Amino acid sequence: MAKPNRAAMIKDEAKKSILLLPAVILLVCFFIVPIILTVYYSFTNMALTGSAAQNFQFVGINNYIKVFKDPNTWTAIKNTLVFLIGSLAGQSVLGFIIAYLMKNKAKAFRSVVGPCILVGWVMPEIVVSLAMLAFFDMSGTMNTILTAAHLPAVEWIYAHPMMTVVIANIWHGTAFSMMNFQSALDNVSGDIEEAARVDGATRMQTLIRIIVPCIKDTIATNTMLNTLSTLGVFGLIWALTGGGPGTKTTTLSIYMYNAGMKNFQLGQGTAIGMVLLMVGAVCSVVYTKVVKSEEA
Amino acid sequence: MNEKVTKALHYAILTIIAIIFVLPLVWLILAAFDTNASQALKWPTQWTIGNFVSVLTNTDNLRGFGIGLTISLVESLIVVLVSGLAAYPLSRYHLSYKKQFMYVILFMTALPMIAVIVPVYKMFLNVGLLDSIPGVILYLTASGLPYGIWLMKNFMDGVPVELEEAAWVDGATTMQSILKIVAPLMFPGICVVFIYTFSGSWGNFFIPYILLSSKSKLPAAVMLYQFFGQHGTIAYGPLAAYSIIYALPSVLLYVLSQNYMSKGFNMAGAAKG
């Protein structure tokens, strides 16, 4: 066979790639350009509107200095971490427990419990906020239960706002972890478990020594995907507490919105966006690596 | 502990968890059928479907649902079309950049897109796409594409190439072979992509919330937020009814997608026998 020359090969690939073109154009315009603009704007003093929107200058890393000197930024970072760790712990642990306990249970039982967990996940996030707002209201479901148990009612949204949004996110997200762990657990060979049991391992030992190592890739991808979606949560918190009271539930995404869209400080808003984007990119690379290693 | 006690304990724990997960919805359902609903959990003294009637006879509400439907429908159709075309070369041809391309796509599916929304707002302001429904559709399309391409390519890999070879021999063009052979065979997969994109867009709040401002252009998601976000006197009954109507498509589509999902992955059998 004759060796095809380079030019012919490129031409051949270009011809084969034509069908990719619409996708690539859309992705470049509305996905890649915004990312480049985020980087670019974060180094300027541009305002969203007004005269400073046209006459802007490069200000180097001034936006970043300003942002990181602002104590509100550190509050937002702290809030994001609390929200993230609370959500991750709740969603993953609860999701795993449900998946683990559901294994080998009666089919009829599974088909009732499953949808109960899934319903919080299927709901649009604004409905989740509304349901949670009513649930944690002063006269809402939670306090009705507490009063019935002769316990004092609590003003959840004002007294424990972060806990409220974390619980809302756990309610919304647990089903995703549950499904991931269910399919991972289904793939754990029953023989290994059986062998461990015959050797005298307790249920707990089998779980920690056999099952967890078998599903460690799922644990990694699930953690990364939950981290990424939790970092991106905006509507849920915005509709539930608006980031308040004060700044108690202002996470980075809410903080970014306030800086960029409410105070019209495009430069600072995008600098905060960059922080989110960088953290997101790192998690996303880890996620891609894990998927890659699974495929190989 | 003997096996029977352990098992009973498992059933008990799961039942309790399931009840806790359903609790937040109890208010939503009771309030929607209550003539005199408040945020308190109570059994309706008088049951009614009046809340649903009042929501569905209000023209503003209907417009909101209509806009939401239009946005989601158009976006999903574009995503299916564009990702279907893109999936073909990625699934069928040998391309030197294929592996890298797919990893970039996978990377994109996971990025938190909220991080770039402020520059997008500015960009849309400059090109006149702000407060425009087509603008929202375009942006939603681009953010839904990576996942669409990823799914589509994997579904297409499941359609055996042998079936197409027969068509090529008969002189079919690429387009004909996509439309006549590949698309019908991966129809369940196409439905999955459509449903995922549609419900993602139907439930999406922040993109229309940020990119649209005219009251007359807001989709259902943003309208619902405005109903209870403004903390005035809230009519809880209609509010609950509104959110049930709004959540219904998401629930139905999820059920539907489960049906297609199991079919979507079982297509490899076509080349056998």
PDB file of all heavy atoms in Angstrom, chain A residues 161-182:
ATOM      1  N   PRO A 161     -29.371  28.701  59.059  1.00  0.00           N
ATOM      2  CA  PRO A 161     -29.564  28.798  57.606  1.00  0.00           C
ATOM      3  C   PRO A 161     -28.684  27.833  56.814  1.00  0.00           C
ATOM      4  O   PRO A 161     -29.146  27.207  55.854  1.00  0.00           O
ATOM      5  CB  PRO A 161     -29.191  30.257  57.297  1.00  0.00           C
ATOM      6  CG  PRO A 161     -28.362  30.707  58.447  1.00  0.00           C
ATOM      7  CD  PRO A 161     -28.855  29.949  59.643  1.00  0.00           C
ATOM      8  N   MET A 162     -27.411  27.680  57.232  1.00  0.00           N
ATOM      9  CA  MET A 162     -26.514  26.810  56.469  1.00  0.00           C
ATOM     10  C   MET A 162     -26.993  25.364  56.529  1.00  0.00           C
ATOM     11  O   MET A 162     -27.002  24.654  55.520  1.00  0.00           O
ATOM     12  CB  MET A 162     -25.084  26.950  57.001  1.00  0.00           C
ATOM     13  CG  MET A 162     -24.049  26.176  56.210  1.00  0.00           C
ATOM     14  SD  MET A 162     -24.103  26.423  54.420  1.00  0.00           S
ATOM     15  CE  MET A 162     -23.006  27.795  54.186  1.00  0.00           C
ATOM     16  N   MET A 163     -27.432  24.953  57.724  1.00  0.00           N
ATOM     17  CA  MET A 163     -27.921  23.595  57.859  1.00  0.00           C
ATOM     18  C   MET A 163     -29.145  23.375  56.951  1.00  0.00           C
ATOM     19  O   MET A 163     -29.281  22.330  56.318  1.00  0.00           O
ATOM     20  CB  MET A 163     -28.305  23.329  59.312  1.00  0.00           C
ATOM     21  CG  MET A 163     -28.344  21.877  59.665  1.00  0.00           C
ATOM     22  SD  MET A 163     -28.844  21.674  61.365  1.00  0.00           S
ATOM     23  CE  MET A 163     -30.605  21.701  61.188  1.00  0.00           C
ATOM     24  N   THR A 164     -29.998  24.398  56.875  1.00  0.00           N
ATOM     25  CA  THR A 164     -31.193  24.287  56.040  1.00  0.00           C
ATOM     26  C   THR A 164     -30.824  24.079  54.576  1.00  0.00           C
ATOM     27  O   THR A 164     -31.369  23.190  53.917  1.00  0.00           O
ATOM     28  CB  THR A 164     -32.043  25.567  56.179  1.00  0.00           C
ATOM     29  OG1 THR A 164     -32.200  25.857  57.558  1.00  0.00           O
ATOM     30  CG2 THR A 164     -33.390  25.395  55.536  1.00  0.00           C
ATOM     31  N   VAL A 165     -29.885  24.884  54.055  1.00  0.00           N
ATOM     32  CA  VAL A 165     -29.549  24.718  52.639  1.00  0.00           C
ATOM     33  C   VAL A 165     -28.805  23.409  52.389  1.00  0.00           C
ATOM     34  O   VAL A 165     -28.974  22.788  51.338  1.00  0.00           O
ATOM     35  CB  VAL A 165     -28.752  25.927  52.052  1.00  0.00           C
ATOM     36  CG1 VAL A 165     -29.622  27.157  51.958  1.00  0.00           C
ATOM     37  CG2 VAL A 165     -27.492  26.217  52.816  1.00  0.00           C
ATOM     38  N   VAL A 166     -27.998  22.978  53.367  1.00  0.00           N
ATOM     39  CA  VAL A 166     -27.298  21.696  53.205  1.00  0.00           C
ATOM     40  C   VAL A 166     -28.323  20.557  53.141  1.00  0.00           C
ATOM     41  O   VAL A 166     -28.253  19.691  52.263  1.00  0.00           O
ATOM     42  CB  VAL A 166     -26.270  21.468  54.338  1.00  0.00           C
ATOM     43  CG1 VAL A 166     -25.789  20.017  54.346  1.00  0.00           C
ATOM     44  CG2 VAL A 166     -25.078  22.406  54.184  1.00  0.00           C
ATOM     45  N   ILE A 167     -29.300  20.601  54.048  1.00  0.00           N
ATOM     46  CA  ILE A 167     -30.327  19.545  54.040  1.00  0.00           C
ATOM     47  C   ILE A 167     -31.110  19.572  52.716  1.00  0.00           C
ATOM     48  O   ILE A 167     -31.382  18.533  52.121  1.00  0.00           O
ATOM     49  CB  ILE A 167     -31.270  19.686  55.256  1.00  0.00           C
ATOM     50  CG1 ILE A 167     -30.497  19.351  56.527  1.00  0.00           C
ATOM     51  CG2 ILE A 167     -32.493  18.768  55.120  1.00  0.00           C
ATOM     52  CD1 ILE A 167     -31.272  19.530  57.806  1.00  0.00           C
ATOM     53  N   ALA A 168     -31.425  20.785  52.249  1.00  0.00           N
ATOM     54  CA  ALA A 168     -32.140  20.899  50.965  1.00  0.00           C
ATOM     55  C   ALA A 168     -31.325  20.242  49.861  1.00  0.00           C
ATOM     56  O   ALA A 168     -31.853  19.498  49.030  1.00  0.00           O
ATOM     57  CB  ALA A 168     -32.392  22.371  50.642  1.00  0.00           C
ATOM     58  N   ASN A 169     -30.018  20.482  49.857  1.00  0.00           N
ATOM     59  CA  ASN A 169     -29.173  19.923  48.813  1.00  0.00           C
ATOM     60  C   ASN A 169     -29.024  18.406  48.955  1.00  0.00           C
ATOM     61  O   ASN A 169     -28.938  17.695  47.962  1.00  0.00           O
ATOM     62  CB  ASN A 169     -27.797  20.609  48.819  1.00  0.00           C
ATOM     63  CG  ASN A 169     -27.065  20.427  47.514  1.00  0.00           C
ATOM     64  OD1 ASN A 169     -27.689  20.379  46.454  1.00  0.00           O
ATOM     65  ND2 ASN A 169     -25.757  20.296  47.576  1.00  0.00           N
ATOM     66  N   ILE A 170     -29.001  17.938  50.206  1.00  0.00           N
ATOM     67  CA  ILE A 170     -28.926  16.488  50.428  1.00  0.00           C
ATOM     68  C   ILE A 170     -30.214  15.830  49.914  1.00  0.00           C
ATOM     69  O   ILE A 170     -30.183  14.805  49.229  1.00  0.00           O
ATOM     70  CB  ILE A 170     -28.702  16.168  51.928  1.00  0.00           C
ATOM     71  CG1 ILE A 170     -27.319  16.652  52.360  1.00  0.00           C
ATOM     72  CG2 ILE A 170     -28.851  14.667  52.188  1.00  0.00           C
ATOM     73  CD1 ILE A 170     -27.051  16.518  53.836  1.00  0.00           C
ATOM     74  N   TRP A 171     -31.339  16.452  50.215  1.00  0.00           N
ATOM     75  CA  TRP A 171     -32.621  15.906  49.753  1.00  0.00           C
ATOM     76  C   TRP A 171     -32.630  15.811  48.224  1.00  0.00           C
ATOM     77  O   TRP A 171     -33.088  14.845  47.638  1.00  0.00           O
ATOM     78  CB  TRP A 171     -33.768  16.809  50.244  1.00  0.00           C
ATOM     79  CG  TRP A 171     -35.127  16.257  49.959  1.00  0.00           C
ATOM     80  CD1 TRP A 171     -35.592  15.023  50.345  1.00  0.00           C
ATOM     81  CD2 TRP A 171     -36.194  16.877  49.226  1.00  0.00           C
ATOM     82  NE1 TRP A 171     -36.889  14.856  49.903  1.00  0.00           N
ATOM     83  CE2 TRP A 171     -37.286  15.971  49.217  1.00  0.00           C
ATOM     84  CE3 TRP A 171     -36.340  18.113  48.599  1.00  0.00           C
ATOM     85  CZ2 TRP A 171     -38.491  16.256  48.592  1.00  0.00           C
ATOM     86  CZ3 TRP A 171     -37.551  18.398  47.985  1.00  0.00           C
ATOM     87  CH2 TRP A 171     -38.608  17.485  47.978  1.00  0.00           C
ATOM     88  N   HIS A 172     -32.094  16.860  47.595  1.00  0.00           N
ATOM     89  CA  HIS A 172     -32.089  16.947  46.138  1.00  0.00           C
ATOM     90  C   HIS A 172     -31.082  15.982  45.514  1.00  0.00           C
ATOM     91  O   HIS A 172     -31.314  15.447  44.433  1.00  0.00           O
ATOM     92  CB  HIS A 172     -31.755  18.392  45.742  1.00  0.00           C
ATOM     93  CG  HIS A 172     -31.949  18.707  44.292  1.00  0.00           C
ATOM     94  ND1 HIS A 172     -32.990  18.204  43.550  1.00  0.00           N
ATOM     95  CD2 HIS A 172     -31.234  19.486  43.455  1.00  0.00           C
ATOM     96  CE1 HIS A 172     -32.906  18.663  42.315  1.00  0.00           C
ATOM     97  NE2 HIS A 172     -31.840  19.432  42.229  1.00  0.00           N
ATOM     98  N   GLY A 173     -29.943  15.745  46.186  1.00  0.00           N
ATOM     99  CA  GLY A 173     -28.831  15.055  45.523  1.00  0.00           C
ATOM    100  C   GLY A 173     -28.586  13.604  45.913  1.00  0.00           C
ATOM    101  O   GLY A 173     -27.842  12.902  45.228  1.00  0.00           O
ATOM    102  N   THR A 174     -29.195  13.141  47.000  1.00  0.00           N
ATOM    103  CA  THR A 174     -28.868  11.794  47.490  1.00  0.00           C
ATOM    104  C   THR A 174     -29.157  10.708  46.454  1.00  0.00           C
ATOM    105  O   THR A 174     -28.380   9.763  46.300  1.00  0.00           O
ATOM    106  CB  THR A 174     -29.642  11.502  48.792  1.00  0.00           C
ATOM    107  OG1 THR A 174     -29.176  12.419  49.782  1.00  0.00           O
ATOM    108  CG2 THR A 174     -29.412  10.094  49.280  1.00  0.00           C
ATOM    109  N   ALA A 175     -30.261  10.865  45.709  1.00  0.00           N
ATOM    110  CA  ALA A 175     -30.652   9.822  44.758  1.00  0.00           C
ATOM    111  C   ALA A 175     -29.560   9.568  43.714  1.00  0.00           C
ATOM    112  O   ALA A 175     -29.355   8.437  43.287  1.00  0.00           O
ATOM    113  CB  ALA A 175     -31.959  10.200  44.078  1.00  0.00           C
ATOM    114  N   PHE A 176     -28.854  10.627  43.311  1.00  0.00           N
ATOM    115  CA  PHE A 176     -27.797  10.475  42.314  1.00  0.00           C
ATOM    116  C   PHE A 176     -26.701   9.544  42.846  1.00  0.00           C
ATOM    117  O   PHE A 176     -26.281   8.609  42.159  1.00  0.00           O
ATOM    118  CB  PHE A 176     -27.234  11.852  41.953  1.00  0.00           C
ATOM    119  CG  PHE A 176     -26.132  11.814  40.936  1.00  0.00           C
ATOM    120  CD1 PHE A 176     -26.416  11.540  39.609  1.00  0.00           C
ATOM    121  CD2 PHE A 176     -24.811  12.033  41.299  1.00  0.00           C
ATOM    122  CE1 PHE A 176     -25.398  11.496  38.662  1.00  0.00           C
ATOM    123  CE2 PHE A 176     -23.795  11.989  40.368  1.00  0.00           C
ATOM    124  CZ  PHE A 176     -24.090  11.729  39.053  1.00  0.00           C
ATOM    125  N   SER A 177     -26.267   9.782  44.089  1.00  0.00           N
ATOM    126  CA  SER A 177     -25.260   8.911  44.699  1.00  0.00           C
ATOM    127  C   SER A 177     -25.810   7.504  44.869  1.00  0.00           C
ATOM    128  O   SER A 177     -25.108   6.523  44.622  1.00  0.00           O
ATOM    129  CB  SER A 177     -24.844   9.450  46.065  1.00  0.00           C
ATOM    130  OG  SER A 177     -24.270  10.714  45.938  1.00  0.00           O
ATOM    131  N   MET A 178     -27.058   7.420  45.294  1.00  0.00           N
ATOM    132  CA  MET A 178     -27.679   6.117  45.493  1.00  0.00           C
ATOM    133  C   MET A 178     -27.616   5.290  44.200  1.00  0.00           C
ATOM    134  O   MET A 178     -27.211   4.132  44.204  1.00  0.00           O
ATOM    135  CB  MET A 178     -29.122   6.296  45.945  1.00  0.00           C
ATOM    136  CG  MET A 178     -29.912   5.003  46.037  1.00  0.00           C
ATOM    137  SD  MET A 178     -31.679   5.286  46.293  1.00  0.00           S
ATOM    138  CE  MET A 178     -32.242   5.558  44.607  1.00  0.00           C
ATOM    139  N   MET A 179     -27.986   5.915  43.066  1.00  0.00           N
ATOM    140  CA  MET A 179     -27.993   5.184  41.794  1.00  0.00           C
ATOM    141  C   MET A 179     -26.588   4.768  41.398  1.00  0.00           C
ATOM    142  O   MET A 179     -26.375   3.649  40.921  1.00  0.00           O
ATOM    143  CB  MET A 179     -28.638   6.045  40.704  1.00  0.00           C
ATOM    144  CG  MET A 179     -30.124   6.209  40.911  1.00  0.00           C
ATOM    145  SD  MET A 179     -30.915   7.076  39.556  1.00  0.00           S
ATOM    146  CE  MET A 179     -30.288   8.723  39.763  1.00  0.00           C
ATOM    147  N   ASN A 180     -25.604   5.679  41.601  1.00  0.00           N
ATOM    148  CA  ASN A 180     -24.226   5.330  41.283  1.00  0.00           C
ATOM    149  C   ASN A 180     -23.771   4.120  42.091  1.00  0.00           C
ATOM    150  O   ASN A 180     -23.164   3.190  41.564  1.00  0.00           O
ATOM    151  CB  ASN A 180     -23.287   6.501  41.587  1.00  0.00           C
ATOM    152  CG  ASN A 180     -23.325   7.537  40.495  1.00  0.00           C
ATOM    153  OD1 ASN A 180     -23.663   7.232  39.359  1.00  0.00           O
ATOM    154  ND2 ASN A 180     -22.983   8.767  40.835  1.00  0.00           N
ATOM    155  N   PHE A 181     -24.063   4.152  43.389  1.00  0.00           N
ATOM    156  CA  PHE A 181     -23.614   3.059  44.249  1.00  0.00           C
ATOM    157  C   PHE A 181     -24.392   1.776  43.974  1.00  0.00           C
ATOM    158  O   PHE A 181     -23.838   0.683  44.082  1.00  0.00           O
ATOM    159  CB  PHE A 181     -23.720   3.461  45.724  1.00  0.00           C
ATOM    160  CG  PHE A 181     -22.672   4.463  46.130  1.00  0.00           C
ATOM    161  CD1 PHE A 181     -23.005   5.636  46.781  1.00  0.00           C
ATOM    162  CD2 PHE A 181     -21.330   4.234  45.847  1.00  0.00           C
ATOM    163  CE1 PHE A 181     -22.037   6.558  47.130  1.00  0.00           C
ATOM    164  CE2 PHE A 181     -20.350   5.148  46.199  1.00  0.00           C
ATOM    165  CZ  PHE A 181     -20.709   6.321  46.845  1.00  0.00           C
ATOM    166  N   GLN A 182     -25.667   1.915  43.613  1.00  0.00           N
ATOM    167  CA  GLN A 182     -26.442   0.718  43.291  1.00  0.00           C
ATOM    168  C   GLN A 182     -25.821  -0.044  42.135  1.00  0.00           C
ATOM    169  O   GLN A 182     -25.639  -1.257  42.198  1.00  0.00           O
ATOM    170  CB  GLN A 182     -27.887   1.088  42.955  1.00  0.00           C
ATOM    171  CG  GLN A 182     -28.789   1.074  44.170  1.00  0.00           C
ATOM    172  CD  GLN A 182     -30.209   1.472  43.852  1.00  0.00           C
ATOM    173  OE1 GLN A 182     -30.462   2.173  42.872  1.00  0.00           O
ATOM    174  NE2 GLN A 182     -31.132   1.060  44.689  1.00  0.00           N
TER     175      GLN A 182
END
